[in-house]
Amino acid sequence: MSKLYYPNKELAKKANIKSLEEYYALVDKASTDYEGYWKNFADKKIEWLKPYSKVLDESNKPFYKWFVDGKLNVSNQCIDRHLKDKSDQVAILFEGDRGDVQKITYQELSKNVNKFANLLKNEFNIKKGDRVVLYMPMIPEAAYAMLACARIGAIHSVVFGGFSAEALKDRIEDAGAKLVITADGAYRKGNPYLLKPVVDEATKSGCESLEAVLVVQRNNEDIDWKEKDHKYNELIANQSSECDFEVMDSEDPLFLLYTSGSTGKPKGVQHSTAGYILWAQMTMEWTFDLQEGDVFWCTADIGWITGHTYIVYGPLAAGGTTVMFEGVPTYPDAGRAWKMIEEHKISQFYTAPTAIRVLHKMGEDEPSKYDLSSLKVLGTVGEPIDPHAWEWYHQKVGGERCPIVDTWWQTETGGHMITPLPFATPIKPACATLPLPGINAEVIEKDGTPTPKGEKGYLCITKPWPSMIRTIWGDDERFKKAYFGDCVKDGEPVYFSGDGAMVGENDYITITGRVDDVINVSGHRLGTAELEAAIAEDEHIAEVAVIGTPHKLKGESIFVYAVTKDDANIEDIHKHINQILARDIGNIAKADDIVAVPGLPKTRSGKIMRRILRVLAKGEELTQDISTLEDPTIVEKIKEVLL
Ligand code: WTA
């Protein structure tokens, strides 16, 4: 086994989970009395407006219900209940792209969110259960908007600002959103960019449910004002800073977040109120060991689940100080992130392996120019980290002092599932280690038998957990099929993550990556089906197969096998395909490679064998039996093209 890094004993004394013994004691509690285990935390952590009558209702599997009949409000949980003793503490520390800083206290956050909530009610008649789409840059108003929705019981659906007009339109329509909240633009790498024109494009036709667009003027750009548009900056001034919160049921949806799956269009992952906020808060306290006075920085965008749970809901529910950054860590230079850590005395830094690889490449010794002694815990998320990037992060950023939590989880899980605890778990580089107490993560075969140690199997969660996905918006059947359709244990369908994993020594779990047709580019999930559907729009393409192939910086990149109809120039096709992908999905979906092939490896039933294509793209030897292919000679023909 590779070297283990043991927790610092001094720091462990004050930690929220202090030792591996304490970890195993919690695991034991959860295994002997699962409901009692969760009840204990739900009672301690949540401010209930009305107590729940039952911890877990399993009568309609897999539509599990948690904390049945309980009443609460997430904005109360994140703001109001902290006002007694934290009103002057900074809740959101915002740094703009150009270095402008805003420190928003809990008191100010409360007022801003209340005003926003009143605006939604008074001007747009937004009510409990209405869907509101946010297409926002990383500015405090994005967080206010999310919390304002939570306050009045509206369901937000944040769409990442890098998605195209087409992608935005699909999401507005699928959710039946009544309102879109956006900004004129924001700043990136020193320059203003525009967001509002994308909303104009998305909403110029269709979007039947949409009544209005609310525009925050971040950079006062000269944009087109349409009939449906309303100016936030003017309307907000008249709103009262008092607003009662809606009493919500534990199981009322808190938000939707669209994510890619292995088939069809993106899925609106639906999260609940009580279970989600409980786990967001608990994981914040456990995984990052959040303590009084800490300044927590997660570099994700609020358009992803990481931004939801670890920029907004987790840190605020836990009463912490959360950093929100508009810019990119490489501007104006590779020292930006390290400078921010020094200036704001940041104690936890949570980012994606892609960012670590890029920052490493830009400056091996850059971090040492800054005082990073405030750092206590480092984290990674979104994709596997390679040992090389891990070592640099550990040595140069963490000064060999900070534990690195490699957190495995998904949009669907709501919060962390498998991760080291920074002051309890001996850390193995590039390994997610152990499931959090209460989380039954297992590596099994499809029939539920445990996969032997050291071999790859299916990563499943074999018991429901509070922050799990409740359904796919408007499509219960797809929810069942996508997550509970592949693996069973003891005859019961169990949640399958779509990831492969391996159990090793000490029962440590290593994630080996997606085993379904989803690829992970710079930590962004993209479905091959979605990509192929877009690419097939190119008139020269007869057939197409997309795979992910290893990429030095991005983790994986998009590799396209195309069967062309004519002898059109493949470089021209490549350019055109990238235009289509940018239009239909967004700039995150760029094909790095394309090859014209005479055909695709298919089974006799017509299924494309992407596994074969993956092996061939890497230039590896094929060990798989190809005799079952419709045309086994195609493999040699593809190899010739790739040479
Ligand atoms: C991958 C992001 C390896 C995995 C929170 C998962 C990881 C997908 C890790 C979810 C990790 C996430 N190590 N792979 N620590 N964390 N993944 O929904 O394939 O954007 O299924 O959620 O990212 O991506 P999503």
Side-chain angles (χ1 to χ4, degrees), residues 241-503:
S241 56
E242 302 284 322
C243 175
D244 287 342
F245 49 77
E246 193 75 29
V247 175
M248 302 298 289
D249 189 86
S250 292
E251 283 296 317
D252 278 334
L254 179 63
F255 63 82
L256 310 179
L257 186 57
Y258 284 80
T259 190
S260 295
S262 49
T263 55
K265 57 180 184 133
K267 308 174 275 199
V269 171
Q270 181 179 319
H271 277 290
S272 71
T273 296
Y276 172 81
I277 201 66
L278 174 65
W279 196 232
Q281 182 179 330
M282 285 173 67
T283 50
M284 198 61 221
E285 293 166 354
W286 282 356
T287 310
F288 299 117
D289 193 47
L290 192 81
Q291 304 271 353
E292 287 301 318
D294 282 354
V295 180
F296 176 81
W297 184 17
C298 162
T299 69
D301 190 280
I302 44 132
W304 307 113
I305 190 69
T306 307
H308 282 60
T309 309
Y310 299 109
I311 294 179
V312 180
Y313 290 117
L316 297 177
T321 297
T322 182
V323 175
M324 195 171 180
F325 177 44
E326 182 188 30
V328 292
T330 52
Y331 177 84
D333 55 45
R336 178 66 180 268
W338 320 132
K339 185 161 175 266
M340 281 177 64
I341 292 171
E342 176 179 288
E343 274 180 15
H344 302 307
K345 303 207 166 31
I346 285 164
S347 24
Q348 291 94 344
F349 180 64
Y350 188 37
T351 196
T354 295
I356 297 168
R357 290 189 290 263
V358 169
L359 291 169
H360 179 193
K361 189 167 162 245
M362 286 180 72
E364 170 79 28
D365 286 313
E366 196 62 27
S368 61
K369 295 183 193 156
Y370 300 85
D371 176 7
L372 304 181
S373 60
S374 58
L375 284 174
K376 190 173 79 171
V377 177
L378 298 174
T380 69
V381 58
E383 39 172 342
I385 181 164
D386 49 287
H388 189 61
W390 193 96
E391 282 302 336
W392 179 77
Y393 197 35
H394 184 247
Q395 279 175 21
K396 303 285 172 158
V397 182
E400 298 186 39
R401 177 187 85 248
C402 303
I404 300 179
V405 290
D406 180 346
T407 61
W408 177 84
W409 61 296
Q410 312 179 288
T411 304
E412 294 84 347
T413 69
H416 300 152
M417 302 299 275
I418 309 177
T419 174
L421 291 163
F423 300 108
T425 317
I427 286 173
K428 181 184 168 194
C431 177
T433 73
L434 299 166
L436 286 171
I439 300 301
N440 292 268
E442 294 183 56
V443 180
I444 56 176
E445 299 303 300
K446 286 193 171 172
D447 65 2
T449 43
T451 305
K453 278 198 173 174
E455 285 176 28
K456 275 191 209 176
Y458 296 95
L459 178 55
C460 292
I461 315 295
T462 56
K463 270 191 191 175
W465 67 102
S467 67
M468 70 192 292
I469 172 177
R470 292 304 193 264
T471 188
I472 292 172
W473 179 254
D475 202 343
D476 287 349
E477 276 313 303
R478 190 172 174 203
F479 164 69
K480 274 206 251 180
K481 192 160 176 279
Y483 302 107
F484 293 87
D486 291 297
C487 300
V488 292
K489 194 188 164 195
D490 303 327
E492 291 267 3
V494 290
Y495 176 90
F496 170 47
S497 63
D499 278 314
M502 220 155 54
V503 181

Side-chain angles (χ1 to χ4, degrees), residues 50 126 189 210 266 336 347 363 437 479 493 500 549 551 578 597 611:
K50 182 187 151 232
I126 301 293
K189 298 192 182 176
L210 190 68
R336 178 66 180 268
S347 24
F479 164 69
T549 188
H551 185 278
N578 276 334
V597 289
R611 202 160 4 126

